[in-house]
Amino acid sequence: MCDFIKESSKESEVIVIGLSGGLNSTIDAYLSVEAVGKRNVFGLILPEKDSSIQNTRDATALAHVLDIDYRFIDITKVLKEIGIYRLSPSTFLIPRKRQEKWAKRQWEEMGGEDVFLKDLASSAKEKDFWEAQAYYRAKVRLRTILLYFHADLRRGLVLGNTNKTEILTGLYVKYGDELADIAPLVNIYKTQTREIAKKLKIPKAILEKTPSPDLVPGIDDEFILGLSYEDVDEILYCLENNLSVDLPEEKVNRVRKIMDKAPFRSLPTHVFPFDGEKYIIS
Amino acid sequence: MCDFIKESSKESEVIVIGLSGGLNSTIDAYLSVEAVGKRNVFGLILPEKDSSIQNTRDATALAHVLDIDYRFIDITKVLKEIGIYRLSPSTFLIPRKRQEKWAKRQWEEMGGEDVFLKDLASSAKEKDFWEAQAYYRAKVRLRTILLYFHADLRRGLVLGNTNKTEILTGLYVKYGDELADIAPLVNIYKTQTREIAKKLKIPKAILEKTPSPDLVPGIDDEFILGLSYEDVDEILYCLENNLSVDLPEEKVNRVRKIMDKAPFRSLPTHVFPFDGEKYIIS
């Protein structure tokens, strides 16, 4: 993977990575520093008012540990200017735990397990639902344009953090975090990223963190998917390789339904000029 | 084309179009109203401080003439917040004509005809050049996320205004105006759009307007390309169909050089789910 990063970034001055404090971006930052050296990696930490403070702290600590150049830009003001926060009740002074509970209750009211399927299919009929989509997607897309703005300024390339499980299940924002110049993890299942993290000796606190898009308090990846990543990856792998799955039919059907509505049936080639097969970790 | 727009938007509540006051977006707005009715078309007029006032006026007039719902959002404040205007000298109180002259002189200093080639290839070595790229690209990309924000809010789809000549010459911003859900003009050469405009009886003032991305005062399409659209289209058409070109070798070489550096050798299928052949106008 380091060879891939080195080779595909050799025409650029710098590799620009969005650091979220999560596992994917942490791995990408470690690999990039290993591949091209710390002077050629530039981090962007782009929290907004709903972001977890712990994630922002972890992202900042990471930039210091790796000793890379980075910018910390709170994007709340830009998002406010665009008008997104008018779509959700003010959370000012409301404790995080309470916000998380509220968001989860809203989720259940909007359809629970069906919410993600309706999101993928853009099939919701309720205005509240559309507003919730507009709300979280704008955050992700704004981050992408900021990554490109800072990459353009430095003649850099944007390294994307999306992994294979996210691509196959549609767990990303169209024209948001899916966009990048290179994406080293695009052929790596989520459960495999944990193995990579162990080899890289990434701090346990990040390795064991609950995976989350960190867009709405309390709404994490497995909550959205309705399954654990272990189950999702096992099912995806078996379906992809025509193997029978040794898991309850109900779980397999859930994954089938998700894949059915997800935009990509296979790995996209247009975004990621990455012949990933030889980088697959067995 | 109306059939295509109607068919491909039938799952959406509304078609969202960015109205620039230029010919492409005007044609798209006319066609969309024809296809789905004025109540199902939503316009966004997104000027910033460098935009031509005439274009903004024309876009607003268009929304009124077609009697469609629209929002006028000056994006200057958001772009300022992102930090783009720090990259160029303040134009406050400087007459437009003088700004145009200044930009054209800058262009010549950066390499004249080579500027567009260096831009396409991301091969410039000068920091000023990178900053100029970051400056104009951020504007285009921000517009795209605003189109999507407003489309998401209304469960709409985004109709893109890019035409075939722009795609083949790379005259668009990567992950900016190229992104859309449908793009009716993607298989139509620029010179053909003028024929369509005549059939639609689009006002002469818009039809005869100098085509321009309207990102930097004075820098219009043909200035960037270094050729007239008539020449570019004739050459593109001949090259595509293996016909000999009855134009000076110098012009043909210019187009070849541009196509060589442009990202798409053929029409992209990932962005535009549009089997355009049957809509080609002969």
Side-chain angles (χ1 to χ4, degrees), chain A residues 43-280:
Chain A
L44 273 175
I45 303 169
L46 305 169
E48 44 88 37
K49 78 175 187 59
D50 294 331
S51 303
S52 128
I53 291 168
Q54 189 57 49
N55 277 345
T56 307
R57 269 189 209 135
D58 290 342
T60 313
L62 174 67
H64 283 275
V65 166
L66 293 177
D67 194 23
I68 58 173
D69 191 12
Y70 75 99
R71 293 279 178 291
F72 182 101
I73 305 169
D74 187 327
I75 61 171
T76 305
K77 266 174 90 175
V78 178
L79 289 168
K80 200 170 181 174
E81 193 64 51
I82 290 173
I84 84 153
Y85 296 122
R86 267 175 271 150
L87 301 174
S88 83
S90 171
T91 51
F92 183 62
L93 286 183
I94 297 174
R96 181 98 184 168
K97 278 280 167 224
R98 194 110 66 86
Q99 292 177 34
E100 291 179 0
K101 254 180 137 172
W102 181 84
K104 283 186 170 170
R105 207 171 52 229
Q106 287 290 104
W107 189 278
E108 289 309 326
E109 278 171 21
M110 287 197 297
E113 272 218 339
D114 286 344
V115 172
F116 186 46
L117 297 176
K118 282 156 83 179
D119 185 348
L120 286 173
S122 300
S123 63
K125 296 280 170 254
E126 309 83 4
K127 195 161 177 284
D128 285 3
F129 199 106
W130 311 342
E131 289 183 351
Q133 287 181 324
Y135 180 74
Y136 83 82
R137 290 177 183 169
K139 297 180 184 185
V140 179
R141 292 185 178 129
L142 177 64
R143 289 197 175 109
T144 300
I145 74 165
L146 285 169
L147 289 168
Y148 272 94
F149 180 62
H150 284 272
D152 287 342
L153 278 180
R154 295 164 178 82
R155 210 173 75 91
L157 62 75
V158 173
L159 188 145
N161 301 319
T162 316
N163 63 46
K164 183 170 181 169
T165 310
E166 291 168 336
I167 291 289
L168 294 182
T169 58
L171 197 63
Y172 58 87
V173 172
K174 179 181 178 183
Y175 300 157
D177 48 351
E178 62 152 335
L179 302 181
D181 297 311
I182 61 169
L185 298 180
V186 78
N187 227 330
I188 310 287
Y189 289 106
K190 179 69 189 180
T191 44
Q192 290 177 309
T193 64
R194 291 177 183 148
E195 301 308 310
I196 299 175
K198 280 176 205 160
K199 289 203 181 181
L200 292 171
K201 299 196 175 35
I202 281 170
K204 238 181 155 185
I206 290 176
L207 178 58
E208 289 171 0
K209 194 181 277 190
T210 307
S212 167
D214 199 10
L215 295 166
V216 177
I219 308 299
D220 62 57
D221 290 8
E222 295 181 342
F223 181 82
I224 296 168
L225 291 165
L227 288 167
S228 72
Y229 267 124
E230 282 72 18
D231 286 350
V232 174
D233 281 357
E234 190 174 334
I235 296 166
L236 287 176
Y237 183 82
C238 290
L239 292 179
E240 227 185 355
N241 296 285
N242 289 317
L243 302 170
S244 65
V245 197
D246 195 17
L247 281 170
E249 193 59 22
E250 190 191 319
K251 290 184 177 184
V252 180
N253 283 341
R254 170 75 182 163
V255 173
R256 275 190 205 279
K257 271 189 206 163
I258 290 172
M259 288 186 82
D260 212 48
K261 304 245 180 310
F264 294 118
R265 301 301 168 100
S266 56
L267 295 177
T269 55
H270 65 280
V271 181
F272 313 104
F274 176 27
D275 172 21
E277 284 310 317
K278 59 181 166 161
Y279 298 98
I280 275 215

Side-chain angles (χ1 to χ4, degrees), chain B residues 18-26 44-48 50-63 70 72 96 100 143 205-221:
Chain B
L19 304 177
S20 69
L23 190 61
N24 292 344
S25 62
T26 302
L44 272 175
I45 304 169
L46 304 170
E48 45 88 37
D50 294 332
S51 302
S52 129
I53 290 168
Q54 189 58 49
N55 277 346
T56 306
R57 268 189 210 135
D58 289 343
T60 313
L62 174 67
Y70 75 98
F72 181 102
R96 181 101 185 165
E100 291 179 0
R143 289 196 175 110
I206 290 177
L207 179 58
E208 289 170 0
K209 194 180 277 190
T210 306
S212 168
D214 199 10
L215 295 167
V216 178
I219 308 299
D220 61 58
D221 290 7

